[in-house]
Amino acid sequence: MAAVAQTPPLRILATAQDVARDCADFVLQTLASALANAPIATLAISGGSSPKLLFADMARTAFDWSRVHIFWVDERCVPPTDSQSNFKLANDALLEPAKIPQQNIHRVYGELAPEEGAARYVAEIKAFFGKTGGPLPAFDVLHRGMGPDAHTASLFPGEPLIGNRDGIAAHVWVEKMKMDRVTLLPGVLLAAKHTVLQVSGDEKAEAVRQVLTEPEDFFRYPCQIASRDGKAVWFLDRAAAAKL
């Protein structure tokens, strides 16, 4: 077994469905704890294949979403009805089934020009958190995935924005995907109160090993950002954890 560079909690389960269920329970428990001490809580969610299972599990519960505000870790620059939209995925699997109030949903306007969409998202986050400067907003729970190349959010290996610790969100052109996206920036990922990483599949096993055991190099392994400290919890299926 590879030695993990630092010791974030690793929850290793049999299947992707088990991972989603355990991750959903953890997210809801963490939000409930936040709501016990504050009038509202914030959750930033990701897109991709794995979250669909997570969203479905969360939507099936009797959780009271009336005081939870939903944001996005990243978004593709497409209309909200597009099959590639992270908003559409969440809307179909979580927001509508769970009847989350519209006023609690803070989506990225992917249908706008990329720079405009990013600027509007930054403005909305600043308005919500009351930030005009100083410390970055701290989400109560920030949910992330990871690609086989160790990217997270829309921060891919070599992306210059990985060095940006001061901004909230920005437009990024992802050459690998030939696509414009809007993504939260590293400073916000680092500021989150709790980070959950949901990763499944044998095609990600090598990236899991690299992110957790290789020396810190955010530009090479972007998912190392805010994933190896006491605020992060990893949810892995056996296939993704196979090289640990």
Side-chain angles (χ1 to χ4, degrees), residues 142-228:
L142 198 147
H143 165 265
R144 287 163 42 195
M146 184 189 69
D149 57 359
H151 86 265
T152 194
S154 284
L155 299 170
F156 286 73
E159 169 55 51
L161 286 172
I162 291 169
N164 185 329
R165 299 292 182 90
D166 301 317
I168 291 174
H171 158 237
V172 58
W173 168 256
V174 181
E175 178 62 27
K176 183 176 182 178
M177 307 297 182
K178 305 294 183 186
M179 177 174 279
D180 289 297
R181 299 190 184 189
V182 172
T183 185
L184 293 179
L185 293 173
V188 178
L189 303 188
L190 289 161
K193 297 175 184 176
H194 300 276
T195 297
V196 296
L197 295 111
Q198 179 191 5
V199 183
S200 301
D202 57 4
E203 75 279 6
K204 299 180 181 179
E206 178 58 19
V208 168
R209 184 199 67 77
Q210 291 168 336
V211 168
L212 288 172
T213 68
E214 292 293 331
E216 186 175 279
D217 185 344
F218 293 168
F219 284 95
R220 188 174 182 184
Y221 310 116
C223 196
Q224 286 182 337
I225 300 168
S227 73
R228 306 202 309 189

